[in-house]
Amino acid sequence: MTHWSLEGFDLQKFVADTLAEDLGEGLPGGGHDVTSESVIPADARFSGVMDSRDPISVAGLPVAEAFFRSLEPAMDIEILVEEGAQVPAGTDLMRLSGNARAMLTAERAALNTVQHLSGIATMVRHYVDVMDNPDCTLLDTRKTIPGLRHLEKYAVRMGGGNNHRMGLWDAAMIKDNHVLVAGDVAEAVRRARDAGVAQIICEVDRLDQIEPALHAGATRLLLDNMEPPILREAVAMVAGRVPTEASGGINLDTIKAKAATGVDYVSVGRLTQSAPAADIGLDFTPE
C-alpha cells in the first residue's frame, strides 16, 4: 500500500466515515451495498482502470487506494502517475484487480474524492499558469467544505499553489468586522499584538489604513478589492516592511495584472470553493 499521510488528517477515519455514510450504517435496513450483494456473486473478481477524460493535474489517488483497501486489504492496486502530475486526456491513473463487490462498493467514494481533489489541483494550475509570475505566490483561503479542509488544501499544493492559514488558530486575520468592533484598524491590531499573537494579518481596503496598521504591529497586509493602480501605490507605501497580499475580485481575467503590481501574494477563494470536478472515469471488466 502507498504510504501517504497529511498532518492533522485521519485518513482511516475519513475512509470509514465516508463508506459508513454511503452504506447507511446505523439506519433501518442500512449497513450494506444492496445492489452489489444481490447482483454480483461473492467470489466474482474484476479488473479496473481509472483514467482521465480531460487534461488534469492529479490529486487524491492514495486516498482512492485507501477506500478500496479498506474493503479488501489484499487488492492488487498500482498507482500509475505521481501526485501533482499534469497529464493529458486519456491517461491511465490507476490499475486495480480484486473482489468485484469490494470494488463496486468503494468505487463512488474513491472517484468522488479523486475527481474533487484533481478538480481543485487543475484549477490551481490554471491560475498559476495565467498569473505567470514567479515573484508572486498564489494562496488559497478558508473557503473549504467542512471536514475536507486538509484534503482540499493538499490539492492546492498539488496544483502548484500554497496554503494560507489552515484555520483560526495559526494566525490572526483582522477583517472589517473585527475592525468594526475594535473601533479602528490600529486598535484591532494593537489588541492582537498585546495578546501575544505572532502573526497578524490585517485587511485594509483604503490607503489611509496602511500606516496605522503597520505602526500598530501588523505582520502582513491584505489589500482587499483594490484595482492594480491602487495596489501599486499600496505596495510602494509598504516599501518592503511587511509582505503584501492582494485579495478580492481576483479571477482568471484579473490575476495577472494584480500579481504584476508587486504584491507578494494573491489569494483566491474560488480555488477550493468553486473548482469543478475533474472528469475521471473508472471502468471494470470481469476477470
Side-chain angles (χ1 to χ4, degrees), residues 95-270:
R95 292 195 190 101
L96 56 164
S97 176
N99 180 268
R101 286 185 179 179
M103 286 187 177
L104 290 169
T105 299
E107 174 189 14
R108 179 44 52 197
L111 267 180
N112 284 351
T113 302
V114 177
Q115 289 171 337
H116 180 55
L117 299 187
S118 294
I120 291 172
T122 301
M123 175 178 274
V124 170
R125 176 56 59 185
H126 195 183
Y127 268 80
V128 170
D129 290 344
V130 170
M131 185 171 71
D132 189 26
N133 190 329
D135 297 321
C136 186
T137 299
L138 178 65
L139 299 176
D140 55 21
T141 71
R142 284 173 48 243
K143 294 179 181 178
T144 56
I145 295 174
L148 296 183
R149 177 167 299 168
H150 287 281
L151 285 177
E152 292 179 341
K153 283 180 171 281
Y154 163 79
V156 169
R157 298 194 298 274
M158 293 304 98
N162 282 51
N163 297 145
H164 211 296
R165 296 188 300 167
M166 289 302 295
L168 296 169
W169 56 271
D170 51 349
M173 181 181 286
I174 296 169
K175 305 195 76 171
D176 52 358
N177 285 331
H178 302 103
V179 172
L180 181 65
V181 172
D184 58 45
V185 163
E187 178 61 21
V189 173
R190 274 194 294 270
R191 291 182 185 183
R193 181 197 64 196
D194 292 346
V197 179
Q199 301 295 322
I200 305 173
I201 306 166
C202 183
E203 177 185 274
V204 298
D205 53 20
R206 303 192 316 269
L207 294 178
D208 64 355
Q209 295 174 314
I210 290 176
E211 286 300 333
L214 291 177
H215 183 72
T219 61
R220 183 193 297 182
L221 292 185
L222 192 159
L223 308 171
D224 189 47
N225 281 302
M226 294 183 179
E227 293 303 314
I230 305 300
L231 279 173
R232 289 191 193 93
E233 189 173 349
V235 169
M237 290 176 63
V238 175
R241 288 178 283 176
V242 299
T244 54
E245 172 187 341
S247 179
I250 297 173
N251 53 43
L252 288 170
D253 295 326
T254 62
I255 190 169
K256 186 175 181 68
K258 292 200 173 188
T261 61
V263 293
D264 299 289
Y265 303 101
V266 174
S267 56
V268 182
R270 71 184 62 217

Side-chain angles (χ1 to χ4, degrees), residues 2 4 50-51 56 58-68 77-85 87 92-95 110-111 113-115 117-118 154 280:
T2 302
W4 181 92
M50 183 184 296
D51 67 337
I56 64 168
V58 178
L61 293 178
V63 185
E65 179 183 1
F67 276 112
F68 290 113
I77 299 176
E78 182 182 9
I79 293 178
L80 303 172
V81 298
E82 293 185 358
E83 293 286 280
V87 301
D92 289 348
L93 307 176
M94 175 188 289
R95 292 195 190 101
L111 267 180
T113 302
V114 177
Q115 289 171 337
L117 299 187
S118 294
Y154 163 79
I280 296 171

